[in-house]
Amino acid sequence: MKISPSILSADFGNLSEDVKKVSLGGADYIHCDIMDGHFVPNLTMGPMIIEAVKSATDVPLDIHFMVEDIPFFIDMYKHLEPEFISFHIEEEKHINRVIQKIRNLGIRPSVVLNPATPVCLLDYIVADVDMVLLMSVNPGFGGQKFIPSVIDKVKELRELAEKKNPDLLIEIDGGVNDKNAPLLKDAGADILVAGSFVFKHKSYEEAIKALR
Ligand code: DX5
Ligand code: ZN
């Protein structure tokens, strides 16, 4: 199981220290939640902050856009060369075009589903992406309660992926902890995002080990 700690719950007064600590603690990716105050009722980090994050670590970046005007934001962050860019299909009319835009930049494309968005919407996209991110909370804030219906969604997505994209990575984001991690693993998840569980823990390394 790969772990992608979300820096939304890090100490922003000591962000680069926290990024270094979580990297030494075994993070596989650094999850960066970009919110624009429109798609979600919260505003987070601009590209300058992510530049500071990138210069503090060699761990690949996992960018999660919760924004309107997705192509505009891709252009604003592309120089950071993240491993993944994930965007919400609820927001985008031309999903295939945006997937191709990300792929053409040499970045791995990923689509995100909110908790209420059904897996069947991925039927004609799943073969074109490297990852699907399933939200297990409504996006916008860290520290929310895990929505358990995502477990069945992971199973349904894994079945779809077996037919159409066996290499698909499934990432889960929101309320992930050491109790639901084993259930997510059994259901077929590959990457767990965790914000508060990691950054509120006294040892980031222990928190990451517990999730893994
Ligand atoms: C929520 C963000 C998450 C958030 C997770 O909109 O996408 O990445 O930081 O935080 P926890 O793990 O505390 O739910
Ligand atoms: Zn996220």
Side-chain angles (χ1 to χ4, degrees), residues 95-157:
I95 297 172
N96 289 95
R97 184 183 291 159
V98 173
I99 290 170
Q100 204 49 55
K101 179 178 170 74
I102 296 168
R103 177 113 30 225
N104 289 344
L105 291 164
I107 299 166
R108 302 178 77 185
S110 159
V111 288
V112 194
L113 303 190
N114 276 334
T117 306
V119 167
C120 63
L121 292 184
L122 298 173
D123 281 355
Y124 299 96
I125 314 168
V126 75
D128 301 320
V129 290
D130 285 10
M131 181 166 86
V132 171
L133 168 49
L134 296 180
M135 292 305 301
S136 39
V137 298
N138 287 290
F141 303 93
Q144 301 182 80
K145 200 168 167 287
F146 182 80
I147 298 173
S149 59
V150 77
I151 307 269
D152 283 340
K153 241 171 130 178
V154 178
K155 291 182 190 157
E156 193 186 338
L157 176 57

Side-chain angles (χ1 to χ4, degrees), residues 23 54 68 111 113 191 204 207:
S23 302
K54 190 178 167 78
E68 294 181 354
V111 288
L113 303 190
I191 305 175
Y204 299 166

